[in-house]
Amino acid sequence: MPKAEKGTPKDIGNRIKAKGLQKLKFYCQMCEKQCRDANGFKCHLTSESHLRQMKIFSDNAGGILDKYSKEFESSFMQTLRMRHGTKKVNANNVYQELISDKQHIHMNATHWTTLTDFVQYLGKTGKCVVEETERGWDISYIERDVSILARKEALARREQAEKAAEEAQAKRMEIQRIEAAKALDRAGGTVHMEATALEKTTDKPLKVALSSNGTGNKTSKPKKISVAFGDDNDDDDDDEEEQDLVRAPPPLPVPDMNKHKNSNNNNNRNKRTLSNRNDETSKSSKRVKAKEDRKDYWLHRDIIVRVICKKFDRKYFKRKAIVDKVIDKYTAEVEILDSSKDAKDGGDVLRMDQEDLETVIPKELGKKVRILNGRFRGEKATVVDLNKTDYMGVLKLRDGTILEKVPYEDFSKLA
């Protein structure tokens, strides 16, 4: 039957069928040719090109099988490690992800005839933890990379140190509370709070008179609690004030104007000194707070990042991705974006460390970004200006606040 002319419906249909994944049993690994049906595969087996390849295979059958087996095992383990990590997952699910790539090494070209044999081989060699369940074979990857193990160990130590610091802080606060209670007991004061019901002696409505000048008559005065940190002379002053309110005021003396001026000058000088001290204290506390606000982790959901690690597949290097999920403070699951508008090579989901990623800065001003570090971590902002020489930007928050000299690594483009 002649080949369909280019552009005809038959040709278009054949091209669409050839793009998709077809039956694996009609694939020839030696010739790397996919046949559409049994008749096509039978014709291919009798072709001259296939016979030449089979003659090459017969000369070195063991070496070719070993080569294909190693490539299949390497691609399977890479898919398991990159997409699932050390989680337990069904082996058939990993195999389906592997064969979704049209150019993968087929299992019929390896030493293993079934997926069960291959999974048992991984368990015997100690490369995976294998478990047989009702749903099939479950496997989990055993991490042996020294750098990743060291990073996980450092992360565990950091979490343990943070937990120990929190426990020490709680213990110090408890000690301070106990010491304050002991000091209150030594001073003879007690703190007792009890809710009681409102008792009315008459049926008349209650009237409350509020006085702003404080000249109302005092009929009763609650007993004050003397605290260890208070002043013992406070009670005497209050008694004298109460007596002055009862008896008639004495005649006012003639004021000394010079003395009044000197006292005003001293008060103003003391106020200026106190305000200067408060300003210095507030500035130092702001600097300390700014340092404490910075974290050593910056990952956040729904931001665009760029893969900068070369140890993964080369096709992911310098590719942009979206952070779908932050697993812990330093690791996230990212979805690789298409390399261009026309290309459809994205969609892969990888688990990566923040050291293998970098932030993406918008090329145009006015774009939305998310702040990833510092005092305003997690808030959305708009790019006002970019300094490409110093790698810093000027951002504007939603409330109008302007942030200057924000490093590129502290904000990233929103997805």
Side-chain angles (χ1 to χ4, degrees), residues 151-280:
R151 190 183 303 130
K152 289 184 177 180
E153 185 178 355
L155 178 61
R157 287 199 302 267
R158 188 186 297 115
E159 292 178 352
Q160 187 177 1
E162 291 177 356
K163 185 177 180 181
E166 292 177 357
E167 293 178 354
Q169 179 68 15
K171 188 179 293 184
R172 285 196 297 269
M173 293 178 64
E174 182 67 18
I175 293 174
Q176 291 178 2
R177 187 187 65 79
I178 294 174
E179 290 180 353
K182 290 181 179 179
L184 188 62
D185 292 339
R186 287 196 299 268
T190 59
V191 178
H192 179 71
M193 292 184 293
E194 183 179 356
T196 58
L198 180 63
E199 297 179 358
K200 296 177 65 176
T201 58
T202 61
D203 296 336
K204 296 181 179 180
L206 295 176
K207 295 183 179 180
V208 179
L210 300 177
S211 177
S212 61
N213 54 7
T215 58
N217 294 331
K218 296 183 179 180
T219 58
S220 63
K221 181 180 178 182
K223 189 174 182 180
K224 291 187 66 177
I225 299 175
S226 177
V227 187
F229 305 102
D231 190 357
D232 295 334
N233 297 327
D234 292 343
D235 296 338
D236 299 334
D237 295 341
D238 294 337
D239 294 339
E240 291 177 0
E241 291 178 1
E242 185 176 0
Q243 293 175 5
D244 291 341
L245 290 175
V246 174
R247 62 174 180 264
L252 297 175
V254 179
D256 189 357
M257 299 304 294
N258 294 329
K259 184 177 180 181
H260 184 65
K261 290 181 180 179
N262 294 333
S263 63
N264 287 338
N265 294 334
N266 292 333
N267 291 334
N268 293 333
R269 190 181 301 110
N270 293 334
K271 289 181 180 179
R272 286 195 298 270
T273 304
L274 182 59
S275 64
N276 293 335
R277 291 179 180 176
N278 291 335
D279 292 341
E280 293 177 359

Side-chain angles (χ1 to χ4, degrees), residues 23-240:
K23 292 186 177 181
L24 301 181
K25 63 180 181 179
F26 299 145
Y27 183 83
C28 178
Q29 186 66 59
M30 285 296 298
C31 303
E32 297 183 357
K33 179 175 178 59
Q34 175 69 57
C35 298
R36 195 168 302 159
D37 50 19
N39 186 32
F41 188 64
K42 181 180 178 181
C43 294
H44 171 70
L45 295 180
T46 58
S47 62
E48 295 182 1
S49 60
H50 178 75
L51 295 177
R52 285 195 300 268
Q53 292 294 331
M54 293 308 296
K55 185 176 181 181
I56 297 173
F57 177 79
S58 62
D59 295 338
N60 187 18
I64 295 176
L65 279 178
D66 292 340
K67 174 188 173 185
Y68 286 142
S69 300
K70 289 180 180 178
E71 292 181 1
F72 177 81
E73 179 184 352
S74 176
S75 58
F76 186 91
M77 296 297 289
Q78 185 178 8
T79 303
L80 176 62
R81 182 173 65 88
M82 296 285 290
R83 299 197 177 187
H84 303 284
T86 56
K87 295 190 302 183
K88 183 185 294 186
V89 65
N90 190 271
N92 190 50
N93 295 341
V94 182
Y95 180 70
Q96 295 298 327
E97 294 176 0
L98 174 64
I99 65 175
S100 62
D101 182 13
K102 191 176 180 181
Q103 305 298 329
H104 74 280
I105 302 297
H106 291 62
M107 184 179 287
N108 55 12
T110 64
H111 291 296
W112 308 286
T113 56
T114 61
L115 183 62
T116 301
D117 296 340
F118 177 66
V119 171
Q120 292 177 352
Y121 159 78
L122 295 178
K124 291 178 181 178
T125 54
K127 297 179 181 179
C128 292
V129 178
V130 179
E131 181 181 357
E132 187 176 7
T133 62
E134 297 178 355
R135 300 183 300 110
W137 290 91
D138 289 347
I139 59 174
S140 56
Y141 180 76
I142 300 176
E143 187 62 66
R144 299 186 185 277
D145 191 350
V146 179
S147 60
I148 296 178
L149 293 176
R151 190 183 303 130
K152 289 184 177 180
E153 185 178 355
L155 178 61
R157 287 199 302 267
R158 188 186 297 115
E159 292 178 352
Q160 187 177 1
E162 291 177 356
K163 185 177 180 181
E166 292 177 357
E167 293 178 354
Q169 179 68 15
K171 188 179 293 184
R172 285 196 297 269
M173 293 178 64
E174 182 67 18
I175 293 174
Q176 291 178 2
R177 187 187 65 79
I178 294 174
E179 290 180 353
K182 290 181 179 179
L184 188 62
D185 292 339
R186 287 196 299 268
T190 59
V191 178
H192 179 71
M193 292 184 293
E194 183 179 356
T196 58
L198 180 63
E199 297 179 358
K200 296 177 65 176
T201 58
T202 61
D203 296 336
K204 296 181 179 180
L206 295 176
K207 295 183 179 180
V208 179
L210 300 177
S211 177
S212 61
N213 54 7
T215 58
N217 294 331
K218 296 183 179 180
T219 58
S220 63
K221 181 180 178 182
K223 189 174 182 180
K224 291 187 66 177
I225 299 175
S226 177
V227 187
F229 305 102
D231 190 357
D232 295 334
N233 297 327
D234 292 343
D235 296 338
D236 299 334
D237 295 341
D238 294 337
D239 294 339
E240 291 177 0

Side-chain angles (χ1 to χ4, degrees), residues 320-373:
K320 293 182 181 179
I322 299 177
V323 178
D324 289 338
K325 179 182 179 182
V326 179
I327 299 173
D328 54 31
K329 295 179 180 179
Y330 306 92
T331 312
E333 286 186 359
V334 300
E335 181 180 355
I336 303 297
L337 298 177
D338 296 334
S339 57
S340 62
K341 294 182 179 180
D342 299 331
K344 301 296 181 182
D345 53 354
D348 293 343
V349 179
L350 309 176
R351 178 178 293 186
M352 305 190 71
D353 192 88
Q354 69 174 8
E355 295 181 359
D356 301 330
L357 304 170
E358 68 176 3
T359 58
V360 175
I361 308 302
K363 295 181 180 179
E364 301 177 1
L365 302 181
K367 294 292 185 179
K368 297 292 184 180
V369 296
R370 187 178 295 278
I371 301 176
L372 307 176
N373 213 333

